[in-house]
Amino acid sequence: MTTSRTTLLIADIGGYTEYMGSHRMTLAHAEVNTARMLDSVIDAARGFDLVEIEGDAAFLSRRAGDRDADAVLAEVLQAAAQMHRAFHREREYVVANLCPCGGCRQARALTLKFVAHVGDVATQSIRGRSKLVGIDVILAHRLLKNDVTIPEYVLITDDLYSEVAGSRPEGVQELTQEVEGIGQVLTHIVDVGELDQGSDPGRPTLATRLSSTFSAIGRGLPYMIGARGMRVQR
């Protein structure tokens, strides 16, 4: 099994546990709304390949090859900013619909955070499905549990950050974390909101609100009647 130098990027929706309720309408629309937001996030990750949807997170990768750390970090930060912008635009459409259920009304509390790492990764095929494996994949996922206090951020490992020779984002915070089974890991935290300087999507029109309402109702109906099962979230 050969390995290759690969950039790993995980986009994780925060606040989902609190967002979920017990009413079936809420569960159906929470499922639909989360799927819409993840779809938008993935579409915005230009240059990265989707490895897997992991509950309320998207795991993406890109071959780093022999490119220098400056180029790799720039790609990560640009992708994170684009994904953050797409997430918030879609979240505004969800919140703007006219459905009164908690799955729609409370979507504004959802956030988006990222973990970025670069390391040696192997591809394993199991029953026709390709999967990325290796200690670096494990590290990236375990860093989702951390002590970062900023609601929306990009957590960058020192493996990716320390080799950067050019300009670095402003306001970077260092944080050493104890990672289960690995030990202490130095990370660098960037407020993703500071990276995303995209234009304000503006207030959704009535037509957009009605369209979003009908979309939530139509896409949520199969879950409500049991024709499709709910995903089990982390």
Side-chain angles (χ1 to χ4, degrees), residues 1-4 120-124 131-134 137:
M1 185 182 298
T2 59
T3 62
S4 60
D120 297 319
V121 174
T123 302
Q124 184 180 63
K131 183 177 182 180
L132 298 187
V133 296
V137 175

Side-chain angles (χ1 to χ4, degrees), residues 1 4 6-9 49-52 54 59-63 121-125 129-138 141:
M1 185 182 298
S4 60
T6 303
T7 307
L8 305 176
L9 182 62
D49 297 319
L50 175 65
V51 179
E52 194 170 0
E54 302 172 334
F59 178 32
L60 305 112
S61 71
R62 178 172 182 166
R63 289 287 181 91
V121 174
T123 302
Q124 184 180 63
S125 182
R129 295 184 61 186
S130 294
K131 183 177 182 180
L132 298 187
V133 296
I135 188 64
D136 289 296
V137 175
I138 294 172
H141 282 82

Side-chain angles (χ1 to χ4, degrees), residues 187-207:
T187 62
H188 306 267
I189 315 301
V190 179
D191 186 332
V192 70
E194 296 296 322
L195 298 175
D196 183 9
Q197 301 299 323
S199 60
D200 188 339
R203 185 179 178 84
T205 64
L206 178 59

Side-chain angles (χ1 to χ4, degrees), residues 1-24:
M1 185 182 298
T2 59
T3 62
S4 60
R5 195 72 171 166
T6 303
T7 307
L8 305 176
L9 182 62
I10 305 175
D12 182 50
I13 295 179
Y16 191 84
T17 301
E18 294 78 8
Y19 170 59
M20 292 296 284
S22 58
H23 192 275
R24 192 164 185 82

Side-chain angles (χ1 to χ4, degrees), residues 150-167:
I150 303 171
E152 296 188 308
Y153 57 82
V154 186
L155 183 153
I156 308 163
T157 62
D158 198 53
D159 298 81
L160 172 56
Y161 194 81
S162 63
E163 298 300 319
V164 173
S167 60

